[in-house]
Amino acid sequence: MTKRENHQRKIVKRQKNASKPANDGSNESVLLADVQSLLSKHHAAVSSPRSETGEGNGDTKPARPEPHSLPEKFSEVDIKISQLSSTGDGLGFSPDSDHVYVVPFTVPGDTVKAKTITHFPQARYTLTDLVKVIKSGPQRDNSLIKCPYFAKCAGCQIQMLPYDLQLKHKKEIIEKAYLNFSALTPEVVPPVGDTIESPLQYGYRTKLTPHFDGPPGSMSRKAKRDPSLRKGFDSVPPIGFNEKGTRRIIDIEDCPIGTDAVREGLKRERKKVGEEIARFTKGATILLRESTERRWKPAQSAEAKTVSIPESHEDESPDAQEAAAISKESNTANDVARTTTQTPDSTHFTDIKSCITDQRATSTEYIDSHILLNTAGAFFQNNNFILPTFTAYIRSHILPPPSAPQPPTPPITNLIDAYCGSGLFSITLSALFTSTTGIDIAPSSIVSARQNATLNNTRNATFLAADAADLFASVTYAPEATVVVIDPPRKGCDGGFLRQLLRFGARRVVYVSCNVHTQARDVGVLVEGVGGVEGEVRGERKGEGAVGEGKGRGVCRYRIESLQGFDFFPQTGHVESVAVLARED
């Protein structure tokens, strides 16, 4: 197969996949659901009853839209934006069509000129690039934009949208997710709470990972087989983030959503790469992770916790080293620090913020009175400013509400923290339970979790390194006395885990997710009580699969008690969602 034939095959495959409804929570499936919804509304609006007989007998049919001839690729069209999609892109129509155009960096009411990039005729939408705003809609406020790279960089989508409208939009994202991805009837989905705002709308992000590509030819097959053939850089490449809709990297000198320490770290590491570019033969990713040193004031020093930062415990694989920061020395000699106050008790201490660039180093953060260590390159929430409010909300909702009727069951005394990471929920919720078990697939995260339990004097927590799908094999808790917290990666839970959870039948489940669409899909399984397997969940819910040991109706089902969004990611189209579920008895 020639290179051209292979390229054409990929295009055909993308065209087919774009028109197929999917339940994987990907940007493509989310966009398709929004496109189909908008088309339905558009057809309902433009179709008016008219007589096809002309005989006055009252028989009418809605007018069918005329087929639309798509413009040539890379041609420009004028678009009126109708709504903001859950991906953060504007959706609209050209004046003479019922074909949806997806235009980034736009808001409802905008009239824009857009360049067509990729048509998906079967799915009836076209991806475009924004050329210019012809007429601003009432929601657009360009004075709010604080980044010179906005409308080019793929990181932020809605800086021009007032913050109250951002919060409203994110509430609608959750509502649409449960409408389009849960397969539940609206009657069983409770109203979504108003999105809880971030204390900071800029300067909140405690982790950034800018990157740069290798020199031309560095990724060729020959160069991959024989590193000696790789050429070095003739000049410093762009260091930053991807341009929207492409794999090209934009040179980013500053990122205003990063914290002060992270922004200073970006400047420092950009300079360092420039000075040492001769030693690179391929691209690299730079880790910028904020860390906190808490210095207690003299009157409090006797009560202050002494924190001993452990040696690195990550495997020093070549891939880890390549993805690590440019040099470990920059973490100590050139750290940029600032003082900050984050809690009401900050009169007793000063927090010194620094930027870590070593993947294997240990970062330190404080959530209220809790101290949390984490391997710098491992997952941890990237907006620490909202974490006190976030963890307080979960603490207040993880147990049954006092007003709820209490059946004759034992009190809830056990917590299972699935996908526990370094123990954020196990540590901050431990006071509510007699016993806690946390599990994570990453051994390094379990090491951090155990260290955090010791530092916080959490004696009722046990941590296990294992796949969450195997969690319940070793659990001895009584389901009636147990609550499960789930915080999976963006892809959500697999079918095996959901089956186990349904068989176990925990009294309550709290599902935390940075991808509300996969959360809605998984919650739909738990509410219906069907033990689906990965890739077959939708089929089993339609009665297409047998069930039983690993298949079929689960032993319990849940109802959704509440849905709440948190704005962990201001200026972007992302929202953190918390679903609280109670077992149906």
Side-chain angles (χ1 to χ4, degrees):
M1 182 181 293
T2 66
K3 194 172 183 179
R4 182 180 180 84
E5 289 173 336
N6 185 53
H7 180 65
Q8 287 297 120
R9 182 180 62 83
K10 289 181 178 179
I11 291 177
V12 172
K13 186 177 180 180
R14 285 183 66 196
Q15 297 278 5
K16 290 181 178 179
N17 290 340
S19 61
K20 294 180 180 178
N23 219 21
D24 60 1
S26 64
N27 266 13
E28 291 76 15
S29 62
V30 172
L31 181 60
L32 179 60
D34 282 349
V35 166
Q36 292 174 335
S37 174
L38 182 59
L39 283 169
S40 296
K41 294 176 182 177
H42 179 70
H43 291 164
V46 301
S47 299
S48 57
R50 67 184 183 187
S51 171
E52 291 191 351
T53 63
E55 301 297 326
N57 59 5
D59 292 335
T60 60
K61 292 184 179 180
R64 295 180 179 178
E66 296 296 325
H68 176 57
S69 178
L70 296 177
E72 290 188 9
K73 191 174 182 179
F74 304 128
S75 61
E76 296 182 354
V77 292
D78 291 350
I79 307 295
K80 178 68 178 288
I81 303 301
S82 300
Q83 73 175 46
L84 195 58
S85 76
S86 295
T87 62
D89 300 310
L91 304 179
F93 303 93
S94 63
D96 60 345
S97 80
D98 63 345
H99 183 88
V100 175
Y101 291 84
V102 182
V103 190
F105 312 114
T106 58
V107 297
D110 282 349
T111 301
V112 302
K113 187 174 292 294
K115 178 187 290 186
T116 61
I117 303 298
T118 307
H119 294 304
F120 296 99
Q122 292 177 313
R124 301 179 69 182
Y125 73 86
T126 294
L127 300 180
T128 73
D129 283 344
L130 174 65
V131 176
K132 68 176 181 178
V133 177
I134 299 172
K135 182 179 179 181
S136 295
Q139 295 185 7
R140 175 180 287 272
D141 184 352
N142 288 337
S143 69
L144 299 173
I145 299 172
K146 294 187 177 182
C147 180
Y149 309 102
F150 181 71
K152 294 181 181 178
C153 174
C156 295
Q157 298 83 44
I158 51 175
Q159 287 191 19
M160 68 300 204
L161 195 64
Y163 192 55
D164 61 328
L165 296 181
Q166 291 189 30
L167 297 175
K168 181 181 178 182
H169 171 60
K170 295 183 182 190
K171 177 180 177 179
E172 293 170 351
I173 290 176
I174 299 175
E175 292 171 339
K176 290 193 294 182
Y178 277 82
L179 177 66
N180 296 328
F181 288 84
S182 72
L184 298 173
T185 59
E187 292 76 20
V188 302
V189 179
V192 178
D194 292 337
T195 308
I196 294 177
E197 66 183 59
S198 171
L200 296 179
Q201 286 84 61
Y202 285 91
Y204 65 84
R205 193 171 176 94
T206 54
K207 179 185 177 184
L208 292 174
T209 52
H211 49 278
F212 59 93
D213 287 336
S218 63
M219 297 303 291
S220 67
R221 292 181 180 178
K222 289 183 178 180
K224 288 180 179 179
R225 287 195 301 265
D226 185 358
S228 67
L229 297 177
R230 294 175 181 169
K231 298 180 180 179
F233 287 93
D234 296 326
S235 59
V236 179
I239 304 169
F241 306 107
N242 285 14
E243 182 179 357
K244 174 70 173 178
T246 77
R247 295 184 178 180
R248 292 190 298 270
I249 295 176
I250 302 175
D251 194 52
I252 303 290
E253 295 184 359
D254 187 24
C255 180
I257 64 172
T259 65
D260 288 351
V262 167
R263 294 170 74 178
E264 289 298 328
L266 174 60
K267 295 175 183 177
R268 183 187 68 220
E269 295 307 308
R270 284 176 52 85
K271 180 180 179 182
K272 194 170 187 64
V273 170
E275 294 171 348
E276 300 183 1
I277 196 64
R279 73 181 181 87
F280 289 92
T281 58
K282 58 180 180 178
T285 296
I286 302 170
L287 171 68
L288 303 171
R289 166 69 81 181
E290 183 176 277
S291 185
T292 302
E293 178 190 356
R294 179 156 291 180
R295 296 181 181 177
W296 294 84
K297 296 180 179 179
Q300 303 297 322
S301 59
E303 303 174 11
K305 297 176 182 177
T306 300
V307 180
S308 176
I309 303 300
E311 290 296 321
S312 164
H313 47 71
E314 287 258 279
D315 292 335
E316 297 190 11
S317 64
D319 289 342
Q321 293 180 34
E322 182 64 32
I326 306 308
S327 70
K328 187 173 182 179
E329 289 76 14
S330 64
N331 290 324
T332 54
N334 299 312
D335 261 353
V336 178
R338 69 181 178 94
T339 58
T340 184
T341 54
Q342 292 180 237
T343 74
D345 296 327
S346 59
T347 53
H348 302 315
F349 56 78
T350 299
D351 280 348
I352 306 299
K353 302 290 186 176
S354 60
C355 182
I356 292 176
T357 58
D358 183 354
Q359 295 265 4
R360 301 174 303 278
T362 300
S363 64
T364 306
E365 281 305 336
Y366 291 84
I367 311 300
D368 292 325
S369 61
H370 303 287
I371 179 172
L372 292 169
L373 307 184
N374 200 60
T375 303
F379 172 78
F380 192 76
Q381 297 290 357
N382 295 331
N383 182 346
N384 293 350
F385 300 93
I386 198 174
L387 285 181
T389 302
F390 177 66
T391 54
Y393 176 88
I394 294 178
R395 266 197 305 274
S396 65
H397 287 75
I398 197 165
L399 296 176
S403 58
Q406 299 296 320
T409 54
I412 296 177
T413 57
N414 308 311
L415 169 66
I416 296 175
D417 184 4
Y419 311 93
C420 70
S422 58
L424 172 64
F425 297 122
S426 298
I427 303 300
T428 58
L429 301 173
S430 63
L432 299 176
F433 302 96
T434 302
S435 181
T436 297
T437 296
I439 187 167
D440 198 277
I441 196 171
S444 62
S445 293
I446 294 300
V447 172
S448 296
R450 290 169 178 164
Q451 292 168 344
N452 290 331
T454 300
L455 286 171
N456 290 278
N457 198 28
T458 304
R459 300 178 181 179
N460 60 345
T462 301
F463 296 96
L464 307 173
D467 192 329
D470 300 323
L471 170 62
F472 296 98
S474 58
V475 169
T476 59
Y477 296 155
E480 296 286 342
T482 302
V483 60
V484 176
V485 173
I486 309 170
D487 187 9
R490 290 187 61 82
K491 66 179 182 179
C493 302
D494 63 30
F497 176 81
L498 294 175
R499 272 201 310 274
Q500 287 188 69
L501 180 56
L502 285 166
R503 290 199 194 102
F504 179 73
R507 181 104 153 268
R508 292 172 70 78
V509 174
V510 177
Y511 193 139
V512 178
S513 180
C514 61
N515 186 344
V516 66
H517 306 93
T518 53
Q519 181 196 64
R521 176 201 66 199
D522 296 345
V523 167
V525 173
L526 297 176
V527 170
E528 290 190 354
V530 177
V533 295
E534 186 176 12
E536 299 177 0
V537 170
R538 299 177 69 200
E540 288 186 357
R541 280 198 257 171
K542 294 178 181 178
E544 298 173 6
V547 203
E549 186 61 24
K551 300 178 182 179
R553 299 296 297 181
V555 297
C556 76
R557 59 194 302 170
Y558 290 86
R559 63 177 174 83
I560 308 173
E561 191 171 277
S562 63
L563 292 171
Q564 179 64 57
F566 290 81
D567 191 17
F568 273 63
F569 318 102
Q571 318 309 331
T572 78
H574 301 290
V575 61
E576 193 89 0
S577 177
V578 177
V580 179
L581 311 179
R583 195 185 64 199
E584 291 275 39
D585 292 314

